[in-house]
Amino acid sequence: MDWNLFWSAFGAIGTTVGSLITGVAVVVAVKQYKQPLEKKIVVSYGTTLPIMTDNSMGSYHMFIDAKNLGVRDTTITGFYFYTKKRKYFLNNMQSPFIQPIALPCVLHQEDCITFQMDMEKVEQELISLQQRRVLKQRQKLYVCVQDAVGQIYICHKTIRFYHGKFK
């Protein structure tokens, strides 16, 4: 057996593996460098039934959560429903029973804000939009949050509103 050939092949394999590992290290380093530049806001929504201070049940509320999972602070300027063509701002629909959020507000990293609205008020507004034929029956609505530079963060669950109720 020719040992020079064996050691040359072994060295070539080692060099190839070393260069692949170096390439992976470069990709990881670039990703780590870009990470502070990225903003990541996660939007979710749901309904809640608050209990008042006198232990009575309040009316249903819709809430929108905006969570900053990025490593930069972000300024939130608006909450709204969004169709593919229009925005329906919700900033003036905050519930008077809960501490309102003063917009614009700074959302720090690893922080969450909750925007709450009286469900009846939201339903009445959407019924009004449907009666004026601004919003179609069974129109898909997306819940969105907008930041100070105009970037839109969309909740991936859609809402359908028809016959005066959310579906």
Side-chain angles (χ1 to χ4, degrees):
M1 180 168 168
D2 186 10
W3 288 102
N4 285 332
L5 184 61
F6 170 76
W7 288 113
S8 294
F10 189 75
I13 291 170
T15 303
T16 303
V17 170
S19 64
L20 288 175
I21 291 173
T22 302
V24 169
V26 168
V27 168
V28 168
V30 168
K31 186 166 177 74
Q32 289 293 330
Y33 174 73
K34 285 187 173 184
Q35 185 180 10
L37 304 176
E38 294 176 2
K39 290 190 281 185
K40 184 173 183 183
I41 305 295
V42 176
V43 180
S44 60
Y45 72 91
T47 58
T48 183
L49 185 62
I51 298 176
M52 301 305 196
T53 55
D54 61 354
N55 290 334
S56 66
M57 299 295 252
S59 60
Y60 275 99
H61 281 73
M62 178 179 202
F63 66 87
I64 302 171
D65 283 336
K67 301 172 191 129
N68 185 356
L69 299 181
V71 293
R72 292 175 49 190
D73 291 350
T74 304
T75 302
I76 301 297
T77 59
F79 293 84
Y80 56 92
F81 289 135
Y82 173 74
T83 63
K84 295 295 181 185
K85 297 179 182 176
R86 290 193 168 121
K87 296 178 189 177
Y88 304 102
F89 280 91
L90 303 171
N91 294 352
N92 59 348
M93 290 190 179
Q94 291 192 64
S95 176
F97 301 111
I98 298 166
Q99 181 67 33
I101 298 171
L103 294 173
C105 69
V106 176
L107 186 58
H108 300 288
Q109 56 184 330
E110 301 292 324
D111 200 4
C112 175
I113 59 171
T114 301
F115 184 85
Q116 294 197 22
M117 304 161 288
D118 186 12
M119 194 70 148
E120 290 178 16
K121 190 173 180 182
V122 174
E123 288 174 349
Q124 288 171 358
E125 182 66 27
L126 292 175
I127 288 170
S128 170
L129 289 172
Q130 286 180 343
Q131 289 172 346
R132 294 188 317 225
R133 302 216 186 269
V134 175
L135 185 66
K136 298 177 188 173
Q137 287 283 343
R138 299 183 186 189
Q139 176 87 41
K140 280 186 184 179
L141 296 171
Y142 298 91
V143 176
C144 302
V145 173
Q146 184 172 351
D147 69 4
V149 295
Q151 189 169 354
I152 298 170
Y153 304 94
I154 301 174
C155 180
H156 296 290
K157 281 192 324 188
T158 59
I159 298 174
R160 292 205 186 254
F161 184 79
Y162 55 96
H163 302 297
K165 296 291 177 194
F166 288 101
K167 303 292 181 189

